[in-house]
Amino acid sequence: MNTVPPTEPAFRTGTIAVLGRPNVGKSTLVNALVGAKVSIVSPRPQTTRHRLLGIASFPEGQLLLVDTPGIHGQQKRAMNRMMNRAARGAVEGVDAAMLVIEAGRWTDDDALAYRALKDSGLPCVLVINKVDKFPDKGALLPFMAEVTREREFSSVYPLSALRKRGLEGLVKTLLKLVPESQALYADDEITDRSERFLAGELVREQLMTRLGEELPYSATVEIEKFELDGEMLRIAAVVWVEREGQKPIVIGKGGDRLKAISTGARIGMEKLFGRKVFLETWCRVREGWSDDEAALRRFGYSD
Ligand code: GDP
Ligand code: MG
């Protein structure tokens, strides 16, 4: 008879940086692993402007995922330089990293992100995302072979963050890369950011989605009021633009566009916060805010 009690597999907890060029699906992947929209997503590159922790809890462990603005070669404005610094700084103090790329493509900015990771010396998992829209499934293996040739990855996962396909194997591998440790957050916590911050991001997500070409990059959001009134949240948001001429574009005919932005953001907030939200939204001008370090700090940008 065996009297030795079976040993429980140890609980593991650690931090994983999520890196890659803009628009490959880093935030979508973080949200899929967390199981809630903690990081905003849009079809436009450079939607994520801040470093943010997504907390993904599993029976076997807890992964703290550092979502980052994408690393990219062009860095004209102070805000873009700050975003690059935030992305590169994300590798400090973490246990491992994921490099996210898009199936079928390897660009100069992918190479830039790869080099930043190599310099960090961290174990790195390669995630080949968006396999759902990769036309030729037969070409996936040759693509995997090509990108991993002469580059070091601890493992490679082709998956679809959008459709939540192929995530189980990735989670298992990531948990092996982090140390044995108790959970650092309660298992119902999903991010290190405040609800006030997330509210601002949800308004910005609507700007990214609903404004044409250049304008989303000239706009930012400040939450002026965030108050619990009984069961309801009362929130006031200001959309800051860089020039007077941009205001009518944000506001739209008869206020239509700002109304749609506000409604979209409110629905996202009610879902995320699990309560009713009363949201007021204004549009104001602050000239040149995105190249003004003081304005950037006031609006919550930091590296
Ligand atoms: P990030 O800039 O790397 O954080 O990318 P986002 O997460 O903001 O995603 C950029 C765009 O790619 C969005 O339109 C997403 O819906 C889309 N996307 C992300 N993951 C997938 C995926 O697995 N499949 C497809 N088809 N689209 C995806
Ligand atoms: Mg992002």
Side-chain angles (χ1 to χ4, degrees), residues 23 25-28 39-42 46-49 67-70:
N23 219 33
K26 296 178 295 299
S27 299
T28 306
S39 192
I40 60 167
V41 168
S42 94
Q46 298 179 43
T47 299
T48 306
R49 290 182 185 166
D67 191 14
T68 61

Side-chain angles (χ1 to χ4, degrees), residues 2-20:
N2 188 356
T3 52
V4 180
T7 47
E8 291 263 319
F11 198 85
R12 309 181 84 92
T13 298
T15 312
I16 313 274
V18 185
L19 273 93

Side-chain angles (χ1 to χ4, degrees), residues 77-153:
R77 293 179 301 179
M79 181 173 70
N80 300 85
R81 290 196 296 274
M82 218 173 236
M83 284 161 66
N84 258 335
R85 282 203 299 273
R88 289 171 182 277
V91 296
E92 280 160 32
V94 307
D95 298 297
M98 284 192 265
L99 175 65
V100 184
I101 66 169
E102 214 177 297
R105 291 180 70 192
W106 179 271
T107 69
D108 288 350
D109 279 347
D110 292 314
L112 203 64
Y114 174 74
R115 275 200 300 278
L117 275 174
K118 278 300 108 186
D119 292 345
S120 74
L122 290 167
C124 178
V125 175
L126 178 66
V127 170
I128 301 178
N129 190 28
K130 307 197 187 182
V131 292
D132 58 288
K133 70 170 201 188
F134 193 58
D136 179 4
K137 303 291 176 228
L140 196 56
L141 278 176
F143 175 73
M144 281 170 70
E146 191 194 315
V147 288
T148 53
R149 197 187 320 125
E150 290 173 21
R151 294 191 188 99
E152 275 169 69
F153 296 105

Side-chain angles (χ1 to χ4, degrees), residues 208-227:
M208 297 300 293
T209 310
R210 292 176 193 271
L211 296 178
E213 282 313 295
E214 281 299 304
L215 199 57
Y217 302 102
S218 302
T220 194
V221 177
E222 186 179 30
I223 298 295
E224 282 203 321
K225 181 172 83 179
F226 191 99
E227 289 168 6

Side-chain angles (χ1 to χ4, degrees), residues 204-257:
R204 210 163 55 71
E205 180 176 59
Q206 294 295 314
L207 298 176
M208 297 300 293
T209 310
R210 292 176 193 271
L211 296 178
E213 282 313 295
E214 281 299 304
L215 199 57
Y217 302 102
S218 302
T220 194
V221 177
E222 186 179 30
I223 298 295
E224 282 203 321
K225 181 172 83 179
F226 191 99
E227 289 168 6
L228 199 55
D229 177 1
E231 280 302 291
M232 185 197 260
L233 273 171
R234 290 188 182 276
I235 302 173
V238 179
V239 176
W240 288 98
V241 291
E242 299 202 287
R243 289 194 308 276
E244 201 57 47
Q246 295 170 334
K247 244 171 97 170
I249 306 172
V250 172
I251 293 168
K253 257 209 194 98
D256 276 6
R257 186 171 284 135

Side-chain angles (χ1 to χ4, degrees), residues 21-22 70-76 84 88 108-109 112:
R21 72 176 158 81
I71 289 181
H72 57 103
Q74 294 172 329
Q75 29 189 296
K76 277 184 293 203
N84 258 335
R88 289 171 182 277
D108 288 350
D109 279 347
L112 203 64

